[in-house]
Each structure stands twice: as C-alpha cells, then as structure tokens.
Amino acid sequence: LATVFFLTMGERDTYGATQLTVDGEGDFYENLQDALDTNRYSSDEPLVVTVKPGSYSVEQNIRIYPNTTISMYGATIVNENTGNASMLRLRRAAEWDSYPGYTGGSDISILGGTLDGNGYEGALIRLGHASGITLRDVTFTNVKTIDNA
C-alpha cells in the first residue's frame, strides 16, 4: 500500500473549467472515458471530471488527455484488465506520432481516491513525455513490483 500525498510538477488553475461527474450508473468505464474524451481533440479549456465516492471496476485502460483533472476523493477504481496494459495512461499509443522530450501532454491532475492494481505486475499509470503532472492524495494498492534481476 502506497499513498502519494503530494507530487507535482507545476500547479494549474481550473477556473472556468468544464465540470463533469461520473458515478456508478450504467457502464462506469464508458461513462468515465466519455467524460475524459471531452479533451481528446481539443484541450484548450480545462476539464474537471469528478468521480463520485464508491468502488468501480475497469477492464480497459483509462486514457487521459491534456488540461484535465480527475477528482476521485472517496472512490476506488479496481483494475480488472488481464492484458498487458496500464490502468491509466496518457492518450492511446496509436495517437502518438512523435512526442520527444516533454511534449506528450501537460496540465494533468489526479486528486484523491485509490487505484487498486488487483495484483497487476507492471506500471499502473503511464504519463510519459508529459509536464505539469500532479498526483495528490492518491493511494496505489495491490500492485506487484517487477523483478528485473
């Protein structure tokens, strides 16, 4: 069990942000991904997606886009993906033409909640080639370490 109380690479202002809320009604993954896809093609405006308290399962990786905050205080998201994929990642691999340095995405915050790896061995989240990343009050649990020895 590991808790990240505060990790930041720059602060961001969400004033005037589009506010969307996701709960357990219907398919949680589809509802969450639909909300996050608001910034898929145009991330000029800040987006705040609030996940209501509760426990939710996902079987696919969650894709997050620039200029987005996920607030999930009181929520637990459990990884049910049995494939070789991270639970949360920046965009889709197919959407990457070339992002050298820190040009892959910016201004992304994950606030609160628990990401339960459900025994997954690997990187639970992947936010490579990014800048302006904030993880605050996030708990990572049930994740195996990769032994490269």
Side-chain angles (χ1 to χ4, degrees), residues 91-145:
R91 303 181 185 180
R92 273 193 242 197
E95 295 173 335
W96 294 75
D97 291 329
S98 175
Y99 291 95
Y102 298 99
T103 60
S106 61
D107 299 324
I108 296 168
S109 297
I110 303 171
L111 310 176
T114 299
L115 296 176
D116 182 338
N118 197 18
Y120 177 73
E121 183 175 5
L124 196 57
I125 63 172
R126 291 179 187 235
L127 300 172
H129 297 276
S131 63
I133 304 296
T134 299
L135 300 176
R136 181 178 294 143
D137 302 327
V138 180
T139 300
F140 298 89
T141 187
N142 219 2
V143 180
K144 292 181 183 177
T145 0

Side-chain angles (χ1 to χ4, degrees), residues 62-84:
I62 301 163
R63 296 172 313 279
I64 189 168
Y65 300 92
N67 213 9
T68 301
T69 296
I70 301 176
S71 177
M72 44 187 240
Y73 287 95
T76 297
I77 301 177
V78 180
N79 185 18
E80 298 289 345
N81 185 348
T82 57
N84 186 18

Side-chain angles (χ1 to χ4, degrees), residues 36-44 65-66 91-92 95:
L36 294 171
D37 283 350
T38 301
N39 271 7
R40 182 173 182 175
Y41 298 107
S42 175
S43 55
D44 295 336
Y65 300 92
R91 303 181 185 180
R92 273 193 242 197
E95 295 173 335

